[in-house]
Amino acid sequence: LPLILLPVQFISSMNFYDVIIEKETIPYRFLQKVKETAIPGQPPPTMQGYSGRELRWAWLNYHNQTELGVVQWSAHPGHDADFQIIYPEKNPAWQQHYDSIDSDNHSGLYLVERKHKLKKNPAEQSVITPIGPSNDEFLGISDGSLDSLTGSTIYATYGLWFKSSKKHITAWIVFAVMDKDDNLLRYERLPLNWYNRDWRMDDRLFINGLLIFEIPENAVKYTTYIWNMYKAEAHLEGGNFKLSKLEKDY
């Protein structure tokens, strides 16, 4: 458990202004190219990459007021996401599933797009029960069984009407997978504070998603919720939640 909590605690204390622009700077045009493929009213394309690219991508997203998905790194290197930001020479197997659509001479980074996006087969869908206004630390979205999804990579999508008394609330959407004894097996999160919204008054539906990679055979259940870290007044006004199973081609 401490090995899982360490990066969570570390990243929760990070501020975008502490990010040092180093050799691995991601060019703005990478963001533009991914954004061009996003379909309004649907979750944005999924992203994977090395953990060091997570905050750089998040800063681009924030600075340009876009709402693309986070760069997920827990299964790096992998072959599931729609796009990846990578050094191709570090894993030649990427060439089997991805095409290069851009590269950066300074950093050597490549933006690659999956040749065939993995089909997402619906597994579960629910309407989110409104909560609040509340100062609770945890606001539940959904809980359920994973019996039929073990061994698979799944995709959780969210459409949330969410507001707060804070303009920039520190809160994450969390998806956690547990065994029968409540041991934590998988943990993915989507920080709402990485999106440049005024959470006091923005009436738009927040639409996004998370991949949860290779559900272990001993997984029994999941829980997904909003972690309101500093217990600011928050209002989950409703929305929808959906789980899908990826149909892999490898």
Side-chain angles (χ1 to χ4, degrees), residues 5 8 129-143 162 169-176 187 223-232 234-236:
L5 291 178
V8 171
T129 303
I131 301 174
S134 168
N135 293 96
D136 290 348
E137 185 175 357
F138 302 105
L139 285 69
I141 294 175
S142 184
D143 301 278
F162 179 75
I169 186 172
T170 303
W172 294 358
I173 297 173
V174 171
F175 192 103
Y187 186 99
T223 182
T224 183
Y225 54 89
I226 294 175
W227 181 14
N228 179 17
M229 292 187 188
Y230 300 112
K231 301 181 182 180
H235 190 186
L236 180 54

Side-chain angles (χ1 to χ4, degrees), residues 53-218:
R53 274 145 235 163
E54 180 186 47
L55 282 173
R56 292 172 176 86
W57 179 259
W59 166 245
L60 278 176
N61 222 1
Y62 185 92
H63 182 70
N64 292 284
Q65 295 187 303
T66 49
E67 295 193 348
L68 297 174
V70 294
V71 169
Q72 294 189 249
W73 47 265
S74 60
H76 178 81
H79 306 280
D80 296 325
D82 299 326
F83 292 88
Q84 298 212 40
I85 299 171
I86 61 167
Y87 293 117
E89 66 275 11
K90 293 194 174 182
N91 185 6
W94 274 315
Q95 297 177 19
Q96 299 174 30
H97 303 288
Y98 289 88
D99 289 324
S100 171
I101 59 172
D102 202 350
S103 61
D104 181 60
N105 290 334
H106 172 68
S107 65
L109 288 171
Y110 280 67
L111 176 65
V112 296
E113 181 177 11
R114 219 176 192 286
K115 295 176 181 180
H116 305 287
K117 306 286 181 15
L118 295 180
K119 185 178 179 181
K120 301 173 179 71
N121 298 313
E124 180 183 322
Q125 190 164 353
S126 61
V127 174
I128 296 171
T129 303
I131 301 174
S134 168
N135 293 96
D136 290 348
E137 185 175 357
F138 302 105
L139 285 69
I141 294 175
S142 184
D143 301 278
S145 169
L146 288 171
D147 291 344
S148 63
L149 296 171
T150 58
S152 304
T153 291
I154 60 177
Y155 183 48
T157 57
Y158 305 83
L160 304 180
W161 279 288
F162 179 75
K163 286 186 180 176
S164 170
S165 61
K166 298 286 187 181
K167 181 178 181 180
H168 301 299
I169 186 172
T170 303
W172 294 358
I173 297 173
V174 171
F175 192 103
V177 174
M178 289 82 67
D179 66 13
K180 63 181 178 61
D181 297 316
D182 287 334
N183 295 308
L184 187 61
L185 304 177
R186 293 288 185 271
Y187 186 99
E188 298 288 345
R189 80 286 183 277
L190 184 71
L192 296 176
N193 41 299
W194 288 2
Y195 293 90
N196 194 358
R197 282 193 180 204
D198 185 340
W199 293 100
R200 299 170 301 180
M201 59 186 67
D202 200 315
D203 291 320
R204 292 174 297 158
L205 187 69
F206 179 77
I207 303 173
N208 223 299
L210 285 168
L211 291 167
I212 301 91
F213 303 96
E214 299 293 338
I215 303 300
E217 294 297 332
N218 61 330

